[in-house]
Amino acid sequence: MAAEIVNPRNDSGTEGAPEELFDPVFALHRGGKMAIQATVPLRDKDDLSLAYTPGVAKVCTAIAEQPDLVNDYTWKSQVVAVVTDGTAVLGLGDIGPEASLPVMEGKAILFKQFGGVDAVPIALATTDTDEIVETVVRLAPSFGGVNLEDISAPRCFEIERKLQERLDIPVFHDDQHGTAIVTLAALRNAAKLTGRTLGDLRAVISGSGAAGIAIAKFLREAGLGDVAVADRKGIVSRDRDDLTDVKREIAELTNKAGISGSLDAALAGADVFIGVSGGTVPEAAVASMAPNAFVFAMANPNPEVHPDVAHKYAAVVATGRSDYPNQINNVLAFPGIFAGALQVRASRITEGMKIAAANAIADVVGDGLAADYVIPSPFDERVAPAVAAAVAATARAEGVARR
């Protein structure tokens, strides 16, 4: 169906209305997917005098005298800002801040459903890096953490870094780190299943955007044997003269084997394929991988390697889709990570906290480990509490917790 601008809030009746009015997706989104609700009663003038004036003045004065009390007497320490500029929304690309709001609302209800964390969608009408940073810095007094979402690379790297430098609350770009954490969890269990360690594995990542770069860095930090990253022009290597600053950095940190050339050629003898780019990997390239290989083809809705093809050659297959086993889904990570960080009022989210989260996710699988079960379901109620506890404990151990 051709893209058509419609108004699903057509109040003139349904006769002759656009098809979208009868689409269950529009029905679900009508009026938005979330709301603000009071946590205290407001039944009479006595309640009003406590919740608002004159009683509230006592709390305001106390916070003015001891600013840290804001965490005890407001919602600040329990709420996350979900911030986007609408430039890299799911598979839709640069669709703008207004069109991004259904996704940001969705993110906020995932925070609440899976982690018990309140979150507020904030879509910004700017794509300028410094303007985004300044805006979030000015909003920060109202929030206990910032989840950056669907901001295009390479700006997302600089925005996150600058915000981490200027704020004393957790700043987390989920497109980078959430994906990397869940990928590591699945990879740990896949290696365990096949009697190997991370250090035994050589991986090839298809995609040099936010997720691809973050996964490469994180897997190296976690002890992966070697990893190479491919963009549209082939393997990111030191001998290329067309690299951005971000890709030059990743070329220095990865590809110890010194591989150059195409993605397909790099897959020969590789133990792991990680796809975060879309496109299609030829079956012959998958067939050239090492025995007991892992194929994590995470593009949605069409994986880079169809699972039916991947299963011919790989010991473990994962996708980003919910209709296949081993879904690599960020919702396994970010609700519990923020729940744990907010619980201890962490000043930031460290690499150690991310690795602790990955280990906690992997450990939930336990004795059920199998080729079609190397990662828990997003609906496994054990995941978020386990991640939160691991993150909180690591924050305390690393000295970034404030309670």
Side-chain angles (χ1 to χ4, degrees):
M1 178 177 180
E4 178 184 1
I5 299 175
V6 298
N7 178 11
R9 294 177 181 276
N10 187 334
D11 297 322
S12 61
T14 59
E15 185 177 352
E19 180 182 343
E20 283 82 349
L21 288 180
F22 305 100
D23 187 322
V25 173
F26 277 88
L28 182 143
H29 283 78
R30 187 178 179 90
K33 300 193 291 284
M34 56 184 295
I36 300 293
Q37 141 181 338
T39 60
V40 297
L42 204 60
R43 299 160 300 197
D44 51 37
K45 66 180 180 63
D46 292 332
D47 288 343
L48 183 61
S49 70
L50 290 173
Y52 200 54
T53 187
V56 74
K58 290 184 180 179
V59 179
C60 294
T61 301
I63 294 172
E65 293 173 353
Q66 299 182 57
D68 284 349
L69 291 179
V70 69
N71 293 299
D72 296 313
Y73 296 109
T74 72
W75 78 341
K76 174 181 170 69
S77 65
Q78 304 169 65
V79 66
V80 172
V82 181
V83 178
T84 190
D85 63 359
T87 56
V89 181
L90 294 179
L92 303 174
D94 185 356
I95 60 175
E98 289 86 359
S100 77
L101 271 175
V103 177
M104 299 310 115
E105 287 184 3
K107 195 79 173 190
I109 65 175
L110 293 177
F111 265 110
K112 188 66 173 179
Q113 177 70 26
F114 293 101
V117 173
D118 289 304
V120 177
I122 298 176
L124 302 180
T126 179
T127 60
D128 181 86
T129 294
D130 290 333
E131 287 183 359
I132 292 172
V133 171
E134 292 299 328
T135 301
V136 175
V137 167
R138 283 163 173 73
L139 289 170
S142 296
F143 298 98
V146 175
N147 184 95
L148 299 173
E149 191 74 20
D150 293 349
I151 299 173
S152 63
R155 295 174 309 115
C156 59
F157 303 114
E158 184 178 2
I159 290 168
E160 183 186 46
R161 176 180 59 78
K162 286 184 174 181
L163 286 172
Q164 288 172 336
E165 290 171 353
R166 294 184 59 179
L167 297 178
D168 65 348
I169 57 176
V171 177
F172 185 85
H173 184 208
D174 186 51
D175 300 317
Q176 292 183 62
H177 310 301
T179 308
I181 287 164
V182 181
T183 299
L184 174 60
L187 195 57
R188 278 197 186 283
N189 275 342
K192 180 179 179 182
L193 181 68
T194 57
R196 289 176 286 179
T197 67
L198 290 179
D200 297 326
L201 304 176
R202 177 172 74 84
V204 178
I205 298 174
S206 175
S208 60
I213 295 293
I215 291 170
K217 289 182 177 180
F218 193 55
L219 293 183
R220 290 290 294 123
E221 180 79 17
L224 190 74
D226 195 13
V227 57
V229 178
D231 62 12
R232 291 183 179 88
K233 296 182 179 180
I235 297 298
V236 175
S237 57
R238 295 184 184 92
D239 60 359
R240 284 177 48 180
D241 58 6
D242 60 345
L243 301 180
T244 64
D245 291 343
V246 170
K247 290 181 183 180
R248 274 196 294 271
E249 179 189 5
I250 207 67
E252 293 296 327
L253 294 174
T254 62
N255 196 12
K256 292 190 301 184
I259 298 169
S260 59
S262 70
L263 167 71
D264 296 359
L267 283 175
D271 302 290
V272 186
F273 168 77
I274 297 171
V276 283
S277 66
T280 301
V281 177
E283 182 172 346
V286 181
S288 74
M289 295 177 68
N292 289 320
F294 312 142
V295 172
F296 292 2
M298 297 186 283
N300 268 312
N302 299 312
E304 294 90 346
V305 182
H306 192 280
D308 291 345
V309 173
H311 278 296
K312 293 181 183 179
Y313 310 102
V316 176
V317 177
T319 72
R321 291 176 49 149
S322 59
D323 54 347
Y324 289 104
N326 295 328
Q327 184 189 18
I328 307 295
N329 192 324
N330 290 17
V331 78
L332 290 164
F334 68 82
I337 288 170
F338 271 99
L342 293 177
Q343 175 188 327
V344 297
R345 295 179 189 165
S347 58
R348 58 194 177 94
I349 295 172
T350 66
E351 290 301 301
M353 292 159 73
K354 296 173 195 174
I355 289 175
N359 290 342
I361 295 167
D363 288 345
V364 167
V365 169
D367 294 338
L369 181 62
D372 61 354
Y373 184 49
V374 297
I375 198 75
S377 162
F379 293 97
D380 191 322
E381 295 180 354
R382 298 172 296 170
V383 174
V387 172
V391 166
T394 305
R396 290 191 176 104
E398 295 188 342
V400 297
R402 288 176 285 199
R403 76 165 185 180

